[in-house]
Amino acid sequence: MADASQHVSGVAERYASSLFELALEEGAVPAVTADLDRFQAMLDESDDLKRFVLSPVFSAEEQVGAIEALAKKAGFGAYVTNFLKLVASNRRLFALPGMIKAFRIIAAQHRGEISAEVTSAHALTQAQEDELKAALKGVTGKDVTIVVTVDPSILGGLIVKVGSRQIDTSLRTKLSTLKLALKEVG
């Protein structure tokens, strides 16, 4: 299933595999992928939701109730709604980001693609994403699905992870390297 070099926990991979197999049987992989992507975007945009998902303070009943309300308001399909409720009832909400990542990897592999994680200081335009996909396809020889994360702390440039390879052209890394070089000189 998922490539071990993608650094996904066993729990996350098991949940993601189960959801993927069900979605595949029912022909719902695109809909499930879209709902999971929307949930991930909600997580990325809301510090409150992130704290809720990661906090062990809430009971399973509270988590299920909140997740059910959130899924209904967001208009998620039955598969993702039930999946999120199951994860909450099993007290595994903290592993949801890993489950979503694992699902993306499994879905990409099923389509014959490889998945690349891209960290950028700012959101990429569609043209930039297309150019990056084309460049990665030239290097890997396969179609590439990219998952972009915005992290302003890298200041500029990109960090691209494909399998076990990482290319870091971020300004933060370049400045750190320069700082170390200057310490060695002085």
Side-chain angles (χ1 to χ4, degrees), residues 107-124:
Q109 287 178 339
H110 180 75
R111 292 187 304 267
E113 301 172 346
I114 58 171
S115 184
E117 295 175 41
V118 178
T119 304
S120 172
H122 56 82
L124 298 178

Side-chain angles (χ1 to χ4, degrees), residues 124-143:
L124 298 178
T125 65
Q126 189 59 49
Q128 289 170 324
E129 283 190 27
D130 292 343
E131 188 176 335
L132 183 57
K133 284 180 184 179
L136 291 172
K137 183 176 182 172
V139 171
T140 62
K142 292 185 177 183
D143 286 332

Side-chain angles (χ1 to χ4, degrees), residues 93-106:
L93 279 182
F94 66 90
L96 257 177
M99 292 174 195
I100 294 170
K101 178 180 175 182
F103 185 90
R104 287 175 175 158
I105 291 167
I106 294 166

Side-chain angles (χ1 to χ4, degrees), residues 81-100:
T81 298
N82 290 336
F83 176 74
L84 293 173
K85 287 168 48 180
L86 174 72
V87 171
S89 68
N90 289 341
R91 310 253 326 131
R92 297 280 191 258
L93 279 182
F94 66 90
L96 257 177
M99 292 174 195
I100 294 170

Side-chain angles (χ1 to χ4, degrees), residues 24-36:
L24 187 62
E25 282 177 19
E26 300 298 323
V29 172
V32 169
T33 301
D35 284 350
L36 289 177

